[in-house]
Amino acid sequence: MGKEHGRFFTVTPFFPHQASAEDKWSLEDASAAWHLFSSIKMVPKICAIFLLLATLCSVVSCKTWNNQTVERPVLVGAFNIQNLGVSKMNNKTVMDIIKKILLRYDMVLIQEVVTMKPELMENLVSDLNKLYRQKDSKYMMQISDRVGRGNIKEQYAYIYRNDKFKFLSGHIFPDHLDDFMRPPYIAHFATPTLRDLDSMVFIGIHTQPKYAANETSALARVYDYAVKTFKQENVMLMGDMNAACSNVRISDWDSIELWKRPEFTWLITHDFDTTLSTNCCPYDRIIIAGDELEDAVIRESVGPFKYRDLYGISTDMALAVSDHWPVEVKLRGGTSKAASVNLEPSLCLIIHDVRSKSIPSQLLSQKSTFGFQIQNNQISTELYSESSNGTSSSTIYALCNPDINS
C-alpha cells in the first residue's frame, strides 16, 4: 500500500488469497523489472520507482480510493438555543460558546431561531467554516420557513458537515389538521459514511408546552407521512418536545402514539435531565425508527451534552447560551468495500482476572464446550503472575471465537 497525492493505491495480487497464477507471473516480472531498473546507474532511484509502478500497473490491476478503511462515528444532536435572535447573536462571548458547541456535531438541529435577518444565520455557518478549516469538508445549512401562530414565529435549522450528510429534499410538514403550533421540519439526507445506511430522514420539532402530549402523539402521523413521501423507514425524530414533568401527565402516556407504537425507540428516556433548571425534566428527546438506524446507534453515546461543566463556565453564562442542554447520539461509521473483502469478523471477550491466583484450567475446560481459542502466550507455563515484591497481580485472557459471523 502506498500514497499518491493523498490517495491510497493497492496492487490487487498483493492479497495472497486473491492472487491467481497469472498474477504470480506478473509479480515475478515486476520484481525482475525492479532489479533491472535499479541496476542502471544512470537512472536515479526515484525514476526507477516510477518505472516500476508503470510496469506494475501494466500487468496487474491498480485502483485508487479516497475512503477511510473504517469511517468514524458521526455525532448527531438537537439543540434548543433559547431565543436565538439579534440580541444573542450580537453577544460575542455567548456566540463563541455556541460555535464551540456546534463544532462538535456532524449534524445538529437548531430550534428557536427567531431572528428575522437571514444573513445572521448565514454568518454563523460562515464562522463555523472559518473555525473548522477542513479542505474536503465544510458546514452547510438547511433552514425552514418561519413557522408559528400570530407574531410568535420560529425557524428550524439543520447545520451539517457535507462529507457526512448530503441534503436530498425537505419541507415543513403539511399540517392540515392543525395539530402543531410549529409544524415539524422534515429533511431527507444521504449518509455516505454510515454503516448499512445509505440515507435517513430527520424530523425536527419544537412543541408548545401546553399541548406537548397531543403534539408528541401527532408525531407518529408525521413519521407515517415521511415514510410514504421519502420511501425511507429509517427516521430520527428529535427536538424540544416538552414531553416531561408537568407538561405530560402519567395518564397521558397511554394515549401518546409515539410512545405506544412498537417501531419507535426512545433514546432520550424519562430518566435523563435535559434542562438547566432545578427540575429533572427530559424535555428534549431523540426517538428513532428503522432496523438499519437501530443497528447504527451507539447506545452509550446517548445523552445531554452538559457544556457548563465541560467548558468550565458559570451557570449564569450557561443560561445566557440556553436553558436547555443539547441532546446527542453517535451513529456507527461504515467499512470500505476494500476492507470488507479482506477483514474477517470475530468476537473476543476480555477477562480481567484480579484474583491472587488465576485458574486457566477453568478457562481451558470451556474451550471444548464453546469452541473458544484462549490467547495468552504464557498460559502453558504460568498459572498466575506475581510482581517482584511477591504480591499478586492480575492476568488478562482473551477468549476469541473465530466462527462468529456478526
Side-chain angles (χ1 to χ4, degrees):
M1 181 176 291
K3 225 174 186 182
E4 180 186 77
H5 301 299
R7 299 182 299 172
F8 291 101
F9 66 87
T10 61
V11 181
T12 303
F14 284 175
F15 298 108
H17 65 280
Q18 294 179 338
S20 64
E22 182 179 355
D23 294 330
K24 183 178 180 181
W25 178 88
S26 299
L27 288 175
E28 290 172 351
D29 275 8
S31 178
W34 166 252
H35 290 296
L36 174 62
F37 294 142
S38 60
S39 66
I40 302 175
K41 295 182 179 180
M42 295 179 62
V43 180
K45 292 290 185 182
I46 187 66
C47 294
I49 292 173
F50 281 119
L51 288 169
L52 173 63
L53 290 177
T55 303
L56 285 173
C57 288
S58 67
V59 294
V60 296
S61 62
C62 291
K63 59 183 178 180
T64 64
W65 71 89
N66 293 313
N67 297 332
Q68 301 178 39
T69 301
V70 179
E71 295 284 351
R72 66 167 177 80
V74 300
L75 184 61
V76 177
F79 192 13
N80 180 345
I81 306 180
Q82 182 186 23
N83 197 27
L84 185 58
V86 174
S87 177
K88 180 171 287 186
M89 299 184 84
N90 284 334
N91 186 323
K92 184 180 184 304
T93 303
V94 169
M95 288 307 297
D96 283 347
I97 297 172
I98 289 174
K99 292 170 191 174
K100 187 175 182 179
I101 294 169
L102 297 180
L103 283 168
R104 300 181 69 250
Y105 295 102
D106 298 293
M107 163 70 74
V108 59
L109 165 72
I110 299 177
Q111 304 129 76
E112 279 202 43
V113 178
V114 297
T115 178
M116 298 183 67
K117 297 182 177 181
E119 65 271 15
L120 292 182
M121 288 300 292
E122 293 168 3
N123 291 341
L124 172 59
V125 176
S126 177
D127 289 345
L128 291 176
N129 282 319
K130 290 175 183 176
L131 294 168
Y132 185 47
R133 291 185 296 184
Q134 295 294 317
K135 183 173 63 174
D136 299 323
S137 173
K138 67 177 181 178
Y139 279 96
M140 300 184 71
M141 177 178 66
Q142 296 296 328
I143 190 163
S144 73
D145 296 332
R146 296 177 62 78
V147 292
R149 297 170 183 166
N151 295 325
I152 306 175
K153 295 184 184 295
E154 303 174 6
Q155 289 173 288
Y156 301 104
Y158 292 106
I159 294 179
Y160 57 96
R161 294 176 181 168
N162 68 345
D163 60 327
K164 302 298 181 183
F165 293 91
K166 299 184 185 300
F167 179 71
L168 299 176
S169 61
H171 54 264
I172 291 293
F173 172 68
D175 186 20
H176 303 305
L177 300 180
D178 199 25
D179 285 324
F180 300 97
M181 180 176 181
R182 293 173 286 264
Y185 183 27
I186 310 172
H188 187 200
F189 285 87
T191 53
T193 68
L194 292 185
R195 188 178 76 175
D196 300 328
L197 194 62
D198 294 329
S199 73
M200 63 182 294
V201 174
F202 291 96
I203 298 176
I205 182 65
H206 179 202
T207 72
Q208 186 179 21
K210 185 178 180 180
Y211 302 109
N214 291 336
E215 291 194 28
T216 300
S217 183
L219 284 172
R221 188 164 59 85
V222 180
Y223 166 80
D224 294 336
Y225 168 85
V227 170
K228 182 178 180 180
T229 301
F230 300 108
K231 305 295 187 291
Q232 175 58 268
E233 294 183 354
N234 292 287
V235 178
M236 181 176 291
L237 305 96
M238 58 183 180
D240 179 7
M241 298 182 188
N242 284 298
C245 295
S246 60
N247 294 333
V248 180
R249 297 168 298 182
I250 294 177
S251 59
D252 289 334
W253 289 103
D254 291 335
S255 60
I256 294 177
E257 289 296 315
L258 199 67
W259 176 257
K260 290 168 52 181
R261 284 172 48 174
E263 64 262 47
F264 299 114
T265 299
W266 290 54
L267 298 181
I268 301 293
T269 51
H270 297 333
D271 55 335
F272 283 100
D273 179 16
T274 70
T275 73
L276 277 74
S277 67
T278 55
N279 296 326
C280 182
C281 296
Y283 289 139
D284 305 84
R285 304 284 190 157
I286 299 177
I287 301 160
I288 60 170
D291 292 340
E292 290 79 14
L293 185 53
E294 287 265 5
D295 291 341
V297 166
I298 300 175
R299 301 287 170 160
E300 59 269 23
S301 70
V302 175
F305 175 63
K306 299 187 176 182
Y307 52 85
R308 176 191 58 196
D309 302 330
L310 290 169
Y311 293 167
I313 60 177
S314 67
T315 298
D316 288 342
M317 180 55 69
L319 285 168
V321 172
S322 179
D323 58 349
H324 290 254
W325 304 120
V327 289
E328 60 187 35
V329 60
K330 286 182 179 178
L331 304 178
R332 301 181 196 280
T335 304
S336 70
K337 292 182 179 179
S340 299
V341 170
N342 295 286
L343 293 179
E344 183 175 304
S346 179
L347 174 66
C348 288
L349 306 175
I350 303 300
I351 297 177
H352 192 182
D353 192 344
V354 296
R355 295 173 297 175
S356 59
K357 289 187 178 182
S358 60
I359 310 176
S361 59
Q362 293 181 359
L363 302 180
L364 288 169
S365 68
Q366 304 303 311
K367 181 177 180 180
S368 58
T369 304
F370 298 105
F372 285 117
Q373 296 175 355
I374 301 179
Q375 297 179 354
N376 185 332
N377 292 335
Q378 297 180 331
I379 194 169
S380 60
T381 58
E382 290 188 16
L383 294 183
Y384 63 96
S385 59
E386 290 186 344
S387 61
S388 58
N389 62 6
T391 59
S392 299
S393 62
S394 62
T395 304
I396 297 177
Y397 301 97
L399 304 183
C400 296
N401 188 342
D403 297 324
I404 298 297
N405 293 319
S406 61

